[in-house]
């Protein structure tokens, strides 16, 4: 479906596949879409959108979590905006038939090997962090998570009845090429930030991590202007809550990155704030980090900012429209500075706004904020 929202000749036609998905996915995606439309209109771009099913909602309608027509629409677009996948109704299904397998398959089909997850402590949200203000203040970390390797995809994998009791196994597996390409991405991104990369591994125990450390060290030689440090994942998990502002770019493998990014979300106030970009292939995938949260779905309490900030990342990374991205980021900052809070961000459970109210205010701010130069690089 094509929607033309501007009569002017557009600077760019933004061709986007939109996959609302499961749980809170559709609610937060609806707000992200309103902000996307506001930004497109403000900057004179056109939108060519195709809405498709993924995850549990696709299983219900088509019997599979990633229907061909969804994948085809994604591959035919310039970017994919996703809400979330995951539905407890399918908990008993085999792994390959569960909603989550659609997301893993989509990442693989898109060739999205680098997952960028920025966690920024907004000044007006310092009180929302479970950590002391003095510790969280100044935190601005970009987690670069390898997305197509490690335990998530490693073969062999499986489960059997075993000789004495049921057994299951997965394989953590990387080759140097897979590590190199994501390391290069992290160093390049660090250069546009504060020029520091913390590479996270478990090289005191795992062969995979030894290869990770060797390979990252070799790539680091090409970036003498970027500071490199190596940290074990357990120590990094602790440092992320004791001195989060000391990090710039954290580079790590798939599973460690999944875990550390949820932790980073809590540090800056709520996982609901975190956006992500999965890039490296021809088409980028943009989604909030928080997941489907079925327990709060349909109640108007989900935080749409992670989804909205994912639209900003889409402008920056897929369309190279930094001013558009910055205008959305400024609108989010302004909305928060005005005191707007979804329920996850308030301490006393009193004065909070609905998902819709939050999205409405951010979209208004996008319209109010004049296009400016000087975009942040995440
Ligand atoms: C995430 C999610 C996914 C992951 C799940 C839903 C497969 O937790 O994006 O962090 O583990 O990558
Ligand atoms: Mn996760």
């Amino acid at each position: 479906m094509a929607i033309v929202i501007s009569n002017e000749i557009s600077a760019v036609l933004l061709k986007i596949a939109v996959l609302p998905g499961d749980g809170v996915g559709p609610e937060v995606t609806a707000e992200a879409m309103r902000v996307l439309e506001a930004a497109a209109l403000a900057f004179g771009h056109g939108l060519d959108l195709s809405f498709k099913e993924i995850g549990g909602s696709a299983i219900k309608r088509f019997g599979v979590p990633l229907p061909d027509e969804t994948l085809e629409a994604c591959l035919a677009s310039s970017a994919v905006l996703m809400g979330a996948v995951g539905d407890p109704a399918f908990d008993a299904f085999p792994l390959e038939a569960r909603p989550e397998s659609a997301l893993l398959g989509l990442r693989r089909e898109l060739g999205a090997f680098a997952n960028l997850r920025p966690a920024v402590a907004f000044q007006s949200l310092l009180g929302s962090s479970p950590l002391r203000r003095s510790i969280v203040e100044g935190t601005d970390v970009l987690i670069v998570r390898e997305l197509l390797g490690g335990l998530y995809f490693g073969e062999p994998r499986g489960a059997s009845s075993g000789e004495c009791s049921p057994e299951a196994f997965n394989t953590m597996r990387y080759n140097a090429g897979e590590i190199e390409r994501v390391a290069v991405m992290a160093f390049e991104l660090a250069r546009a930030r504060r020029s520091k990369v913390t590479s996270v591994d478990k090289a005191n125990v795992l062969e995979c991590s030894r290869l990770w450390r060797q390979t990252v060290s070799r790539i680091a030689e090409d970036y003498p202007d970027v500071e490199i440090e190596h940290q074990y994942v357990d120590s990094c998990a602790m440092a992320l809550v004791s001195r989060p502002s000391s990090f710039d770019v954290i580079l790590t493998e798939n599973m460690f990155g999944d875990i550390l990014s949820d932790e980073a979300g809590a540090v800056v106030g709520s996982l609901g704030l975190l956006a992500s970009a999965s890039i490296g292939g021809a088409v980028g995938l943009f989604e909030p980090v928080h997941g489907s949260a079925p327990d709060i779905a349909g109640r108007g309490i989900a935080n749409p900012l992670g989804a909205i900030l994912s639209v900003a990342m889409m402008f920056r990374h897929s369309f190279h429209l930094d001013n558009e991205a910055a205008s959305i980021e400024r609108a989010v900052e302004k909305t928060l500075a005005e005191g707007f809070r979804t329920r996850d961000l308030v301490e006393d459970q009193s004065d909070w706004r609905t998902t819709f109210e939050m999205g409405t205010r951010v979209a208004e701010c996008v319209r109010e904020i004049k296009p400016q130069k000087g975009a942040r690089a995440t």
Side-chain angles (χ1 to χ4, degrees):
M1 177 175 53
I3 299 178
V4 178
I5 60 161
S6 165
N7 291 327
E8 295 161 35
I9 295 171
S10 301
V12 182
L13 180 66
L14 311 171
K15 190 167 165 50
I16 302 167
V18 184
L19 318 176
D22 304 326
V24 298
E27 303 160 50
V28 298
T29 305
E31 301 317 311
M33 291 307 302
R34 284 171 352 107
V35 172
L36 169 63
E37 284 166 9
L41 197 57
F43 288 86
H45 303 305
L47 291 175
D48 177 352
L49 308 172
S50 58
F51 289 84
K52 297 291 173 193
E53 308 277 1
I54 192 168
S57 69
I59 300 175
K60 285 175 192 157
R61 188 148 159 220
F62 299 100
V64 289
L66 182 59
D68 288 345
E69 68 164 73
T70 299
L71 182 57
E72 280 158 21
C74 292
L75 291 168
S77 299
S78 305
V80 180
L81 181 65
M82 207 197 78
V85 291
D87 183 335
F90 306 108
D91 277 355
F93 277 40
L95 283 177
E96 66 281 3
R98 285 176 61 111
E100 291 84 350
S101 75
L103 178 54
L104 301 177
L106 183 58
R107 288 170 177 169
R108 196 182 47 223
E109 293 301 320
L110 296 179
F113 62 81
N115 182 216
L116 281 41
R117 299 186 158 187
V120 179
F122 291 103
Q123 199 62 28
S124 57
L125 278 189
L126 294 180
S128 300
S129 173
L131 301 178
R132 280 198 300 281
R133 179 175 283 265
S134 59
I135 288 180
V136 72
E137 190 161 25
T139 297
D140 180 355
V141 48
L142 173 64
I143 297 178
V144 178
R145 168 190 179 194
E146 198 291 325
L147 204 57
L148 297 183
L151 284 169
Y152 277 59
F153 292 95
E155 297 283 349
R157 60 188 291 162
S160 69
S161 52
E163 288 197 358
C164 331
S165 60
E167 277 181 19
F169 60 99
N170 293 88
T171 304
M172 187 187 268
R173 189 171 206 137
Y174 274 104
N175 65 44
E178 291 167 328
I179 302 169
E180 273 165 20
R181 63 186 183 179
V182 72
V184 165
M185 184 86 81
F187 280 96
E188 291 290 336
L189 289 162
R191 259 189 184 159
R193 292 170 50 98
R194 300 191 307 283
S195 296
K196 180 177 169 190
V197 171
T198 304
S199 175
V200 175
D201 59 41
K202 189 72 184 173
N204 50 347
V205 176
L206 303 175
E207 281 81 359
C208 256
S209 284
R210 286 178 61 114
L211 179 64
W212 184 276
R213 195 174 277 221
Q214 280 164 19
T215 309
V216 172
S217 300
R218 201 174 63 238
I219 299 294
E221 290 172 13
D222 297 336
Y223 294 85
D225 52 319
V226 178
E227 183 189 342
I228 172 75
E229 68 178 9
H230 300 273
Q231 216 168 74
Y232 297 136
V233 63
D234 47 352
S235 162
C236 178
M238 183 180 66
L240 208 47
V241 289
S242 52
R243 48 177 182 84
S245 63
S246 67
F247 292 101
D248 180 17
V249 172
I250 291 178
L251 164 65
T252 192
E253 67 90 45
N254 204 345
M255 177 79 126
F256 296 160
D258 180 42
I259 297 168
L260 293 176
S261 55
D262 271 31
E263 188 188 358
V267 167
V268 297
S270 169
L271 185 55
L273 295 165
L274 259 55
S276 84
S278 302
I279 57 174
V283 181
L285 167 65
F286 302 85
E287 45 164 330
V289 176
H290 54 62
S292 62
D295 50 323
I296 62 161
R299 293 165 55 195
I301 59 177
N303 186 340
L305 295 183
I308 289 170
L309 289 166
S310 298
V311 173
M313 295 192 84
M314 182 172 79
F315 272 115
R316 179 167 291 123
H317 294 285
S318 275
F319 299 114
H320 308 290
L321 295 171
D322 287 358
N323 293 334
E324 286 77 343
S327 82
I328 294 175
E329 288 162 353
R330 281 202 198 93
V332 166
E333 248 175 291
K334 183 161 188 273
T335 302
L336 291 171
E338 287 171 350
F340 280 69
R341 301 280 182 274
T342 39
R343 213 188 66 165
D344 52 318
L345 297 172
V346 295
E347 276 154 275
D348 59 2
Q349 301 296 293
S350 55
D351 192 20
W352 55 270
R353 308 298 178 117
T354 63
T355 310
F356 176 76
E357 289 168 330
M358 196 74 161
T360 302
R361 185 61 197 138
V362 177
E364 281 168 8
C365 287
V366 167
R367 285 188 281 270
E368 284 166 24
I369 293 172
K370 284 224 175 71
Q372 284 171 23
K373 294 226 183 306
R376 261 176 60 90
T378 44

